[in-house]
Coordinates of all heavy atoms in Angstrom, one line a residue:
M1 N 138.3 150.3 136.5 CA 138.0 149.2 137.4 C 138.1 147.9 136.7 O 137.4 147.6 135.7 CB 136.6 149.4 137.9 CG 136.1 148.3 138.8 SD 134.4 148.7 139.3 CE 134.4 147.7 140.8
P2 N 139.0 147.0 137.1 CA 139.1 145.7 136.4 C 137.9 144.8 136.6 O 137.3 144.8 137.6 CB 140.4 145.1 137.0 CG 140.5 145.8 138.3 CD 139.9 147.1 138.2
N3 N 137.6 144.0 135.5 CA 136.5 143.1 135.6 C 137.0 141.9 136.3 O 138.0 141.3 136.0 CB 136.0 142.8 134.2 CG 134.7 142.1 134.2 OD1 134.5 141.2 135.0 ND2 133.9 142.4 133.3
E4 N 136.2 141.4 137.3 CA 136.6 140.3 138.1 C 136.0 139.0 137.6 O 136.1 138.0 138.3 CB 136.2 140.5 139.6 CG 136.8 141.8 140.2 CD 138.3 141.6 140.3 OE1 138.8 140.5 140.6 OE2 139.0 142.6 140.2
A5 N 135.4 139.0 136.5 CA 134.8 137.8 136.0 C 135.8 136.7 135.7 O 136.9 137.0 135.2 CB 134.0 138.0 134.7
A6 N 135.5 135.5 136.2 CA 136.4 134.4 136.1 C 136.3 133.6 134.8 O 137.1 132.7 134.5 CB 136.2 133.4 137.2
F7 N 135.3 134.0 134.0 CA 135.0 133.2 132.7 C 134.6 134.2 131.6 O 134.2 135.3 131.8 CB 133.8 132.3 132.9 CG 134.1 131.2 134.0 CD1 133.7 131.5 135.3 CD2 134.7 130.1 133.7 CE1 134.0 130.6 136.3 CE2 135.0 129.1 134.7 CZ 134.6 129.4 136.0
T8 N 134.9 133.7 130.4 CA 134.4 134.4 129.2 C 133.6 133.5 128.3 O 134.0 132.3 128.1 CB 135.6 134.9 128.4 OG1 136.4 135.8 129.2 CG2 135.2 135.6 127.1
L9 N 132.5 133.9 127.9 CA 131.6 133.2 127.0 C 131.8 133.7 125.6 O 131.5 134.9 125.3 CB 130.1 133.3 127.4 CG 129.2 132.5 126.5 CD1 129.4 131.0 126.5 CD2 127.7 132.9 126.9
F10 N 132.3 132.9 124.7 CA 132.4 133.2 123.3 C 131.1 132.9 122.7 O 130.6 131.7 122.8 CB 133.6 132.5 122.7 CG 134.9 132.9 123.2 CD1 135.5 132.2 124.2 CD2 135.5 134.1 122.7 CE1 136.7 132.6 124.7 CE2 136.7 134.5 123.3 CZ 137.3 133.8 124.3
H11 N 130.5 133.8 122.0 CA 129.2 133.7 121.4 C 129.0 134.6 120.2 O 130.0 135.2 119.8 CB 128.1 134.1 122.5 CG 128.1 135.6 122.6 ND1 127.1 136.4 122.1 CD2 128.9 136.5 123.3 CE1 127.4 137.7 122.3 NE2 128.4 137.7 123.1
T12 N 127.8 134.6 119.7 CA 127.4 135.6 118.6 C 125.9 135.9 118.8 O 125.2 135.1 119.5 CB 127.7 135.0 117.2 OG1 127.5 136.1 116.3 CG2 126.8 133.9 116.8
D13 N 125.5 137.0 118.4 CA 124.1 137.4 118.5 C 123.2 136.5 117.7 O 123.6 136.0 116.7 CB 124.0 138.9 118.1 CG 124.6 139.9 119.0 OD1 124.8 139.5 120.2 OD2 124.9 141.0 118.6
M14 N 122.0 136.4 118.2 CA 121.0 135.6 117.5 C 121.3 134.1 117.4 O 120.9 133.4 116.5 CB 120.7 136.2 116.1 CG 120.3 137.6 116.1 SD 118.9 138.0 117.1 CE 117.6 137.2 116.2
C15 N 122.1 133.6 118.4 CA 122.5 132.2 118.5 C 121.6 131.6 119.6 O 121.9 131.9 120.7 CB 124.0 132.1 118.7 SG 124.5 130.5 119.3
H16 N 120.7 130.7 119.2 CA 119.8 130.2 120.3 C 120.6 129.3 121.2 O 120.3 129.2 122.4 CB 118.7 129.4 119.6 CG 119.0 128.1 119.0 ND1 119.6 128.0 117.8 CD2 118.9 126.9 119.5 CE1 119.8 126.7 117.5 NE2 119.4 126.0 118.5
L17 N 121.6 128.6 120.8 CA 122.5 127.8 121.7 C 123.2 128.7 122.7 O 123.4 128.4 123.8 CB 123.5 127.0 120.9 CG 122.8 125.9 120.0 CD1 123.9 125.2 119.2 CD2 122.0 124.9 120.8
C18 N 123.6 129.9 122.2 CA 124.3 130.8 123.1 C 123.4 131.3 124.1 O 123.7 131.5 125.3 CB 124.9 132.0 122.3 SG 126.2 131.4 121.1
E19 N 122.1 131.6 123.7 CA 121.1 132.1 124.7 C 120.8 131.0 125.7 O 120.7 131.3 126.9 CB 119.9 132.5 124.0 CG 120.0 133.7 123.1 CD 118.9 134.0 122.2 OE1 117.9 133.2 122.2 OE2 119.0 134.9 121.4
Q20 N 120.7 129.7 125.3 CA 120.5 128.7 126.3 C 121.7 128.6 127.2 O 121.5 128.3 128.4 CB 120.4 127.3 125.5 CG 119.1 127.2 124.8 CD 119.1 125.9 124.0 OE1 120.0 125.1 124.0 NE2 118.0 125.7 123.2
T21 N 122.9 128.7 126.7 CA 124.1 128.7 127.6 C 124.1 129.8 128.6 O 124.4 129.6 129.8 CB 125.4 128.7 126.7 OG1 125.3 127.6 125.8 CG2 126.6 128.7 127.5
Q22 N 123.7 131.0 128.2 CA 123.7 132.1 129.1 C 122.7 131.9 130.2 O 122.9 132.2 131.4 CB 123.4 133.4 128.4 CG 124.6 133.9 127.5 CD 124.3 135.1 126.8 OE1 123.3 135.3 126.1 NE2 125.2 136.1 126.9
E23 N 121.6 131.3 129.9 CA 120.6 130.9 130.9 C 121.1 129.9 131.9 O 120.9 130.0 133.1 CB 119.3 130.4 130.3 CG 118.5 131.5 129.5 CD 117.4 130.9 128.7 OE1 117.0 129.7 128.9 OE2 116.8 131.7 127.9
L24 N 121.8 128.9 131.4 CA 122.4 127.9 132.2 C 123.5 128.5 133.1 O 123.5 128.2 134.3 CB 123.1 126.8 131.3 CG 123.5 125.5 131.9 CD1 122.3 124.7 132.5 CD2 124.2 124.6 130.8
I25 N 124.3 129.3 132.6 CA 125.4 130.0 133.4 C 124.7 130.8 134.5 O 125.1 130.8 135.6 CB 126.3 130.8 132.5 CG1 127.1 129.9 131.6 CG2 127.2 131.7 133.3 CD1 127.9 130.6 130.5
A26 N 123.7 131.6 134.1 CA 123.0 132.5 135.0 C 122.4 131.7 136.2 O 122.4 132.2 137.3 CB 122.0 133.3 134.3
S27 N 121.9 130.5 135.9 CA 121.3 129.7 136.9 C 122.2 129.3 138.0 O 121.8 129.0 139.1 CB 120.6 128.5 136.3 OG 121.6 127.5 136.0
L28 N 123.5 129.4 137.7 CA 124.5 129.1 138.7 C 125.1 130.3 139.3 O 126.0 130.2 140.2 CB 125.6 128.2 138.1 CG 125.2 126.8 137.7 CD1 126.4 126.0 137.1 CD2 124.7 126.0 138.9
G29 N 124.7 131.5 138.9 CA 125.2 132.7 139.4 C 126.7 133.0 139.1 O 127.4 133.7 139.9
I30 N 127.2 132.5 138.0 CA 128.6 132.6 137.6 C 128.8 134.0 137.0 O 128.0 134.5 136.2 CB 128.9 131.6 136.5 CG1 128.7 130.2 137.1 CG2 130.4 131.8 136.1 CD1 128.8 129.1 136.0
M31 N 129.9 134.7 137.5 CA 130.3 136.0 136.9 C 131.1 135.7 135.6 O 132.0 134.9 135.7 CB 131.1 136.8 137.8 CG 130.3 137.4 139.0 SD 131.4 138.4 140.0 CE 131.9 139.6 138.9
Y32 N 130.7 136.3 134.5 CA 131.4 136.0 133.2 C 131.2 137.2 132.3 O 130.3 138.1 132.5 CB 130.8 134.8 132.6 CG 129.4 134.9 132.0 CD1 129.2 135.2 130.7 CD2 128.3 134.8 132.9 CE1 127.9 135.3 130.2 CE2 127.0 134.9 132.4 CZ 126.8 135.2 131.1 OH 125.5 135.3 130.6
N33 N 132.2 137.3 131.4 CA 132.2 138.3 130.3 C 131.7 137.6 129.1 O 131.8 136.4 129.0 CB 133.6 138.8 130.0 CG 134.2 139.6 131.2 OD1 133.5 140.4 131.8 ND2 135.4 139.3 131.5
T34 N 131.2 138.4 128.2 CA 130.8 137.8 126.9 C 131.7 138.4 125.8 O 132.2 139.6 125.9 CB 129.4 138.1 126.5 OG1 129.1 139.5 126.5 CG2 128.4 137.4 127.5
Q35 N 132.0 137.6 124.8 CA 132.8 138.1 123.7 C 132.2 137.6 122.4 O 132.1 136.4 122.2 CB 134.3 137.5 123.8 CG 135.1 137.9 122.6 CD 135.4 139.4 122.5 OE1 135.9 140.0 123.4 NE2 135.0 140.0 121.3
D36 N 131.7 138.6 121.6 CA 131.1 138.2 120.3 C 132.2 137.9 119.3 O 133.0 138.7 119.1 CB 130.2 139.4 119.8 CG 129.4 139.0 118.6 OD1 129.8 138.2 117.8 OD2 128.3 139.6 118.5
I37 N 132.1 136.7 118.8 CA 133.2 136.3 117.9 C 133.2 137.0 116.6 O 134.2 137.0 115.9 CB 133.2 134.7 117.7 CG1 132.0 134.3 117.0 CG2 133.4 134.0 119.0 CD1 132.1 132.8 116.4
C38 N 132.1 137.6 116.2 CA 132.0 138.4 115.0 C 132.8 139.7 115.0 O 133.0 140.3 114.0 CB 130.5 138.7 114.7 SG 129.6 137.2 114.3
E39 N 133.2 140.1 116.2 CA 134.0 141.3 116.3 C 135.5 141.1 115.9 O 136.2 142.0 115.9 CB 133.9 141.8 117.7 CG 132.5 142.3 118.1 CD 132.4 142.7 119.5 OE1 133.4 142.7 120.3 OE2 131.2 143.1 119.9
S40 N 135.9 139.8 115.7 CA 137.3 139.5 115.4 C 137.4 138.4 114.4 O 136.8 137.3 114.6 CB 138.0 139.2 116.6 OG 139.2 138.5 116.4
D41 N 138.1 138.6 113.3 CA 138.3 137.5 112.3 C 139.0 136.3 113.0 O 138.7 135.1 112.7 CB 139.1 138.0 111.1 CG 138.3 138.9 110.2 OD1 137.1 139.0 110.3 OD2 139.0 139.6 109.5
V42 N 139.9 136.6 113.9 CA 140.6 135.5 114.6 C 139.7 134.7 115.4 O 139.7 133.4 115.4 CB 141.8 136.1 115.4 CG1 142.5 135.0 116.3 CG2 142.8 136.7 114.5
L43 N 138.8 135.4 116.2 CA 137.9 134.6 117.0 C 136.9 133.9 116.2 O 136.5 132.8 116.5 CB 137.2 135.6 118.0 CG 138.1 136.2 119.1 CD1 137.2 137.2 119.9 CD2 138.7 135.2 120.0
A44 N 136.4 134.5 115.1 CA 135.4 133.9 114.2 C 136.0 132.6 113.7 O 135.3 131.5 113.6 CB 135.0 134.8 113.1
E45 N 137.3 132.6 113.3 CA 137.9 131.4 112.7 C 138.1 130.4 113.8 O 137.9 129.2 113.6 CB 139.3 131.8 112.1 CG 139.9 130.6 111.4 CD 141.2 131.0 110.7 OE1 141.3 132.1 110.2 OE2 142.1 130.2 110.7
R46 N 138.5 130.8 115.0 CA 138.8 129.8 116.1 C 137.5 129.2 116.6 O 137.5 128.0 116.9 CB 139.5 130.6 117.2 CG 139.9 129.6 118.4 CD 140.7 130.3 119.4 NE 141.1 129.4 120.4 CZ 141.8 129.7 121.5 NH1 142.3 130.9 121.6 NH2 142.0 128.8 122.4
Y47 N 136.4 130.0 116.8 CA 135.3 129.5 117.5 C 134.0 129.4 116.6 O 133.0 128.9 117.1 CB 134.9 130.5 118.7 CG 136.0 130.5 119.7 CD1 136.8 131.6 119.9 CD2 136.1 129.4 120.6 CE1 137.7 131.6 120.9 CE2 137.1 129.4 121.6 CZ 137.9 130.5 121.7 OH 138.8 130.5 122.7
G48 N 134.1 129.7 115.4 CA 133.0 129.8 114.5 C 132.1 128.6 114.4 O 130.9 128.7 114.4
T49 N 132.7 127.4 114.5 CA 131.9 126.1 114.5 C 131.7 125.5 115.9 O 131.1 124.5 116.0 CB 132.5 125.1 113.5 OG1 133.8 124.8 114.0 CG2 132.6 125.6 112.1
R50 N 132.2 126.2 116.9 CA 132.2 125.6 118.2 C 131.3 126.3 119.2 O 131.1 125.9 120.3 CB 133.6 125.5 118.8 CG 134.5 124.6 118.0 CD 135.8 124.3 118.8 NE 136.6 125.5 119.0 CZ 137.3 125.7 120.1 NH1 137.3 124.8 121.1 NH2 138.0 126.8 120.2
I51 N 130.9 127.5 118.9 CA 130.2 128.3 119.9 C 128.8 127.7 120.3 O 128.3 127.0 119.5 CB 129.9 129.8 119.5 CG1 129.1 129.8 118.2 CG2 131.2 130.5 119.4 CD1 128.6 131.2 117.8
P52 N 128.4 127.9 121.5 CA 129.1 128.7 122.6 C 130.2 127.9 123.2 O 130.2 126.7 123.4 CB 128.0 129.0 123.6 CG 127.0 127.9 123.3 CD 127.1 127.5 121.9
V53 N 131.2 128.7 123.6 CA 132.4 128.1 124.3 C 132.6 129.0 125.6 O 132.7 130.2 125.5 CB 133.7 128.1 123.5 CG1 134.9 127.7 124.3 CG2 133.5 127.3 122.2
L54 N 132.7 128.3 126.7 CA 133.0 129.0 128.0 C 134.5 128.8 128.3 O 135.0 127.7 128.4 CB 132.1 128.5 129.1 CG 132.2 129.3 130.4 CD1 131.7 130.7 130.3 CD2 131.5 128.5 131.5
M55 N 135.3 129.9 128.5 CA 136.7 129.8 128.8 C 136.9 130.2 130.3 O 136.4 131.2 130.7 CB 137.5 130.7 128.0 CG 139.0 130.7 128.3 SD 140.0 132.0 127.5 CE 140.1 131.4 125.9
R56 N 137.6 129.4 131.0 CA 138.0 129.7 132.4 C 139.3 130.6 132.3 O 140.3 130.2 131.7 CB 138.3 128.4 133.1 CG 138.5 128.6 134.6 CD 138.5 127.2 135.3 NE 139.4 126.2 134.7 CZ 139.1 125.0 134.5 NH1 138.0 124.4 135.0 NH2 139.9 124.1 133.9
Q57 N 139.2 131.8 132.9 CA 140.3 132.7 132.7 C 141.6 132.3 133.4 O 142.7 132.5 132.8 CB 139.9 134.1 133.3 CG 138.8 134.8 132.5 CD 139.3 135.1 131.1 OE1 140.4 135.4 130.8 NE2 138.3 135.0 130.1
R58 N 141.6 131.6 134.5 CA 142.8 131.3 135.2 C 143.7 130.4 134.5 O 145.0 130.5 134.6 CB 142.5 130.8 136.6 CG 141.9 129.5 136.7 CD 141.7 129.1 138.2 NE 140.6 128.2 138.4 CZ 140.6 126.9 138.3 NH1 141.7 126.3 138.1 NH2 139.5 126.2 138.5
D59 N 143.2 129.5 133.7 CA 144.0 128.6 132.9 C 143.7 128.4 131.4 O 144.3 127.6 130.7 CB 144.0 127.2 133.6 CG 142.6 126.5 133.6 OD1 141.7 127.2 133.1 OD2 142.5 125.4 134.2
H60 N 142.7 129.2 131.0 CA 142.3 129.3 129.6 C 141.7 127.9 129.1 O 141.6 127.7 127.9 CB 143.4 129.7 128.7 CG 143.8 131.1 128.9 ND1 143.5 132.1 128.0 CD2 144.3 131.7 130.0 CE1 143.9 133.3 128.5 NE2 144.4 133.1 129.7
A61 N 141.3 127.1 130.1 CA 140.6 125.9 129.7 C 139.2 126.2 129.1 O 138.6 127.3 129.5 CB 140.4 125.0 130.9
E62 N 138.8 125.4 128.2 CA 137.5 125.7 127.5 C 136.5 124.6 127.6 O 136.9 123.4 127.5 CB 137.8 126.0 126.0 CG 138.6 127.2 125.7 CD 139.0 127.5 124.3 OE1 138.8 126.5 123.5 OE2 139.4 128.6 124.0
L63 N 135.3 125.0 127.7 CA 134.2 124.0 127.8 C 133.3 124.3 126.5 O 132.7 125.4 126.4 CB 133.3 124.2 129.1 CG 132.1 123.3 129.3 CD1 132.6 121.8 129.3 CD2 131.4 123.6 130.5
N64 N 133.3 123.3 125.6 CA 132.6 123.5 124.4 C 131.2 123.0 124.5 O 130.9 122.0 125.2 CB 133.3 122.7 123.2 CG 134.7 123.2 122.9 OD1 134.9 124.4 122.8 ND2 135.6 122.4 122.8
W65 N 130.2 123.6 123.8 CA 128.9 123.1 123.7 C 128.9 121.8 122.9 O 129.7 121.7 122.0 CB 128.0 124.2 123.0 CG 126.6 123.9 123.0 CD1 125.9 123.3 122.0 CD2 125.7 124.0 124.1 NE1 124.6 123.1 122.4 CE2 124.4 123.5 123.7 CE3 125.8 124.5 125.4 CZ2 123.3 123.5 124.5 CZ3 124.7 124.5 126.3 CH2 123.4 124.0 125.8
P66 N 128.1 120.9 123.2 CA 127.0 120.9 124.2 C 127.5 120.5 125.6 O 128.4 119.6 125.7 CB 126.0 119.9 123.7 CG 126.8 118.9 123.0 CD 128.0 119.7 122.4
F67 N 127.0 121.1 126.6 CA 127.3 120.7 128.0 C 126.0 120.9 128.8 O 125.1 121.7 128.5 CB 128.5 121.4 128.6 CG 128.4 122.9 128.5 CD1 127.8 123.6 129.5 CD2 129.1 123.6 127.5 CE1 127.7 125.0 129.4 CE2 129.1 124.9 127.4 CZ 128.4 125.7 128.4
D68 N 125.9 120.1 129.9 CA 124.8 120.2 130.8 C 125.2 120.9 132.1 O 126.3 121.2 132.3 CB 124.1 118.9 131.0 CG 125.0 117.8 131.6 OD1 126.0 118.2 132.3 OD2 124.7 116.6 131.4
I69 N 124.2 121.0 133.0 CA 124.5 121.6 134.3 C 125.6 120.9 135.1 O 126.4 121.6 135.8 CB 123.2 121.8 135.1 CG1 123.3 122.8 136.3 CG2 122.6 120.5 135.6 CD1 123.2 124.2 135.9
A70 N 125.6 119.6 135.1 CA 126.6 118.8 135.8 C 128.0 119.1 135.2 O 128.9 119.3 136.0 CB 126.3 117.3 135.8
Q71 N 128.1 119.1 133.9 CA 129.4 119.4 133.3 C 129.9 120.8 133.6 O 131.0 121.1 133.9 CB 129.4 119.1 131.8 CG 129.2 117.7 131.5 CD 128.8 117.5 130.0 OE1 127.8 118.1 129.5 NE2 129.5 116.6 129.3
L72 N 128.9 121.8 133.5 CA 129.2 123.2 133.8 C 129.7 123.3 135.3 O 130.7 124.0 135.6 CB 128.0 124.0 133.5 CG 128.2 125.5 133.8 CD1 129.4 126.1 133.1 CD2 126.9 126.3 133.5
T73 N 129.0 122.7 136.2 CA 129.3 122.8 137.6 C 130.7 122.2 137.9 O 131.5 122.8 138.6 CB 128.3 122.0 138.5 OG1 127.0 122.6 138.2 CG2 128.6 122.1 139.9
Q74 N 131.0 121.1 137.2 CA 132.4 120.5 137.4 C 133.4 121.5 136.8 O 134.5 121.7 137.4 CB 132.4 119.2 136.7 CG 133.8 118.5 136.8 CD 133.9 117.1 136.1 OE1 132.9 116.7 135.5 NE2 135.0 116.5 136.3
F75 N 133.1 122.1 135.6 CA 134.1 123.0 135.0 C 134.4 124.2 135.8 O 135.5 124.6 135.9 CB 133.5 123.4 133.6 CG 134.5 124.2 132.8 CD1 135.6 123.7 132.2 CD2 134.2 125.6 132.7 CE1 136.4 124.5 131.5 CE2 135.0 126.4 131.9 CZ 136.2 125.9 131.3
I76 N 133.4 124.7 136.4 CA 133.6 126.0 137.2 C 134.2 125.7 138.6 O 134.6 126.6 139.3 CB 132.3 126.8 137.4 CG1 131.3 126.1 138.2 CG2 131.8 127.2 136.0 CD1 130.1 127.0 138.6
G77 N 134.2 124.4 139.0 CA 134.8 124.0 140.2 C 133.8 124.2 141.4 O 134.3 124.4 142.5
A78 N 132.6 124.3 141.2 CA 131.6 124.5 142.2 C 131.3 123.2 143.0 O 131.5 122.1 142.5 CB 130.3 125.1 141.7

């Protein structure tokens, strides 16, 4: 069954900013996948200093932390 999530959140465990971001995303009811950057050297190098980062799947646009609810709402197109 394919995952229908329109977004991917790049994060790592025990990251308080990532936890804040997940709460913000959840408050808007956004369907998203998570990807721990520690599972890949390539992802760790790409996102290591920028997480949390939310990627829009349809065009691979990225929203880097810090962002607020207004910026997130605009990014998701709500």
Side-chain angles (χ1 to χ4, degrees):
M1 178 179 200
N3 192 320
E4 298 297 324
F7 300 91
T8 298
L9 178 65
F10 294 97
H11 74 100
T12 191
D13 289 340
M14 305 304 292
C15 165
H16 72 282
L17 296 176
C18 299
E19 291 169 4
Q20 289 176 1
T21 300
Q22 287 179 309
E23 290 172 11
L24 193 63
I25 293 169
S27 75
L28 294 178
I30 301 167
M31 288 184 58
Y32 69 100
N33 295 317
T34 58
Q35 176 63 57
D36 189 330
I37 65 168
C38 291
E39 295 176 0
S40 161
D41 290 342
V42 172
L43 292 177
E45 184 175 329
R46 181 172 182 181
Y47 295 108
T49 61
R50 299 192 294 144
I51 61 168
V53 175
L54 187 64
M55 177 191 288
R56 190 170 47 219
Q57 292 299 327
R58 68 178 148 91
D59 61 2
H60 295 249
E62 296 178 346
L63 181 62
N64 296 313
W65 186 261
F67 52 84
D68 60 22
I69 194 83
Q71 291 165 311
L72 178 58
T73 300
Q74 181 179 6
F75 182 74
I76 66 168

